[in-house]
Amino acid sequence: MSLLTSLSRTSAPAAVVLMRLMVGGVFLSEGIQKFLFADDVGAGRFARIGIPSPELMGPFVGMVEIICGALILLGFLTRLAAIALLLDILVAIFSTKIPILLGHGFWRFSVSKVAYYGFWGMLHEARTDLSMLLGLLFLLIVGAGAWSIDARIASMRR
């Protein structure tokens, strides 16, 4: 069995398309916004929170989110795209939500101004990140579902 076939294999129902629309749509739109509003959510934000080389990392992360978000929406190479975006969202949680949990900067990352800090403040600020994390884990486990390019590839290879 080829690597492409094993990555494309899915026995998940067609309803997985709803998860792909949510997860892929959020990452695609966030990636586009890193270019449209670079000072607020791209390189400028990366510089404020302490991401190294923000002028390179902002556009790089934006492209990863656009490409992988689009792949997830299409249901093509879904598991590979999910792995890349899992790394993306874990860095986001580590660099922005852990400082909120602690109430102060952490390692090289500075804390954002939020209404309240600590556990509840972190949970409030992390609700989208945690939803995306769980959605990506779901897609990594079950695959793209019956209505996907991955499913067509897998069925053609059988």
Side-chain angles (χ1 to χ4, degrees):
M1 182 183 295
S2 75
L3 180 62
L4 182 60
T5 304
S6 62
L7 287 172
S8 300
R9 191 174 35 89
T10 180
S11 59
V16 171
V17 72
L18 298 174
M19 184 66 75
R20 287 193 355 250
L21 287 172
M22 180 190 65
V23 172
V26 167
F27 278 105
L28 177 65
S29 70
E30 287 296 318
I32 291 169
Q33 290 177 65
K34 282 183 176 55
F35 291 98
L36 293 177
F37 311 107
D39 287 342
D40 295 321
V41 295
R45 180 166 188 260
F46 283 24
R48 283 190 301 280
I49 62 175
I51 299 285
S53 303
E55 64 286 342
L56 287 156
M57 292 306 293
F60 174 75
V61 170
M63 286 307 300
V64 168
E65 291 176 350
I66 290 168
I67 292 166
C68 293
L71 288 172
I72 286 176
L73 282 171
L74 294 170
F76 181 55
L77 302 174
T78 304
R79 286 187 171 100
L80 285 177
I83 290 169
L85 291 173
L86 276 167
L87 293 172
D88 177 269
I89 200 68
L90 287 171
V91 169
I93 291 168
F94 188 77
S95 64
T96 62
K97 303 319 181 275
I98 299 301
I100 293 170
L101 174 67
L102 299 174
H104 55 78
F106 169 71
W107 192 36
R108 66 178 306 133
F109 305 112
S110 60
V111 66
S112 301
K113 176 108 174 81
V114 296
Y116 46 97
Y117 298 93
F119 179 73
W120 295 111
M122 185 272 301
L123 280 182
H124 175 73
E125 295 296 323
R127 62 193 181 276
T128 303
D129 294 351
L130 295 173
S131 296
M132 292 299 103
L133 177 72
L134 293 175
L136 288 165
L137 288 172
F138 176 83
L139 291 172
L140 183 63
I141 292 166
V142 305
W147 290 349
S148 67
I149 295 172
D150 284 348
R152 288 200 182 241
I153 290 170
S155 69
M156 288 180 351
R157 300 239 178 200
R158 278 190 222 133

